[in-house]
Amino acid sequence: MNAKDQSSDLAGEAADKRGPLPEHIAIIMDGNGRWAQARGMPRIEGHRRGVDTVRMVSETCTELGIGALTLYCLSSENWKRPQEELDFLMELLQQYLVEERPLIMKQNLRLQVIGRRDRLPEKVIAEIDETIRVSADNTGTKLVLAIDYGGRDELTRAAKLLCEDVQAGKLSIDQISEQSINDRLYTSRLPDVDLMIRTGGELRVSNFLLWQLSYAELWVTETCWPEFSRIEFERAMESFQNRDRRFGGLSVGQ
Ligand code: IPE
Ligand code: IPE
Ligand code: MG
């Protein structure tokens, strides 16, 4: 049986009975190091192989018409790792942005990056900006890379931006609302996350999109990122379609 035969029936007849596909999917791409070490390879091999999975998920999102895909690439806390691993991650990121650019264009993806820029090497920033520039008019899935991103850092930044506006007289304290906070997040132009997937089995959010995940449906798999397959990705989406999302209210018909 090939992968297509095994894949979930996301768009077929059975799908009619289920809810819509998620508009915004966010993924904590975890387990690269463990995957490599379990195979007697250095941790960085896991990161390298993880790029293939990135290609697969972005392609799947394009095919299914998913609005936005946010991928956690580097957290604010990942700077605690050995310099050698960080250097490799920066090289890999730069390589991804250059080598995958034609595919990003072919897949009609529009690149966005969220997180701090000031701690990234200049050459990485340059490739980020170039890929954002060339893909700006693409109309397919928004591919959002979270690089040096932390939810607490983002909220702290939003608080500072609000204070600046209050201090400058552009905003009164009474005007501070969920909307005005949301407007100052990196993700201001994205919808809230509908489905959050974490590979590698950990049951935590690790400082990812703290605000945006409020009512996200969660899906965790033991599978490490380099081995995460299209079949499993579709299974996560199918599970999402079968969830009863109440947003604090009651089910339809209750
Ligand atoms: C996730 O994989 C990728 C990054 C955090 C950059 P890890 O490197 O955290 O892999 P594990 O969780 O140690 O296996
Ligand atoms: C989360 O994974 C960050 C990324 C995948 C980029 P971590 O491996 O850093 O998270 P913890 O340390 O297990 O919580
Ligand atoms: Mg990890």
Side-chain angles (χ1 to χ4, degrees), residues 14-73:
D16 294 345
K17 297 184 193 75
R18 299 196 296 264
L21 284 165
E23 202 183 324
H24 184 180
I25 301 175
I27 308 183
I28 301 180
M29 310 184 287
D30 199 22
N32 291 351
R34 279 167 283 163
W35 178 85
Q37 282 173 324
R39 284 156 186 79
M41 295 187 277
R43 291 177 50 83
I44 57 169
E45 274 312 308
H47 299 314
R48 202 197 305 274
R49 285 289 291 269
V51 175
D52 297 339
T53 316
V54 169
R55 201 177 297 122
M56 179 279 290
V57 288
S58 60
E59 187 170 26
T60 306
C61 285
T62 299
E63 277 178 32
L64 295 174
I66 304 295
L69 170 69
T70 301
L71 301 177
Y72 209 0
C73 303

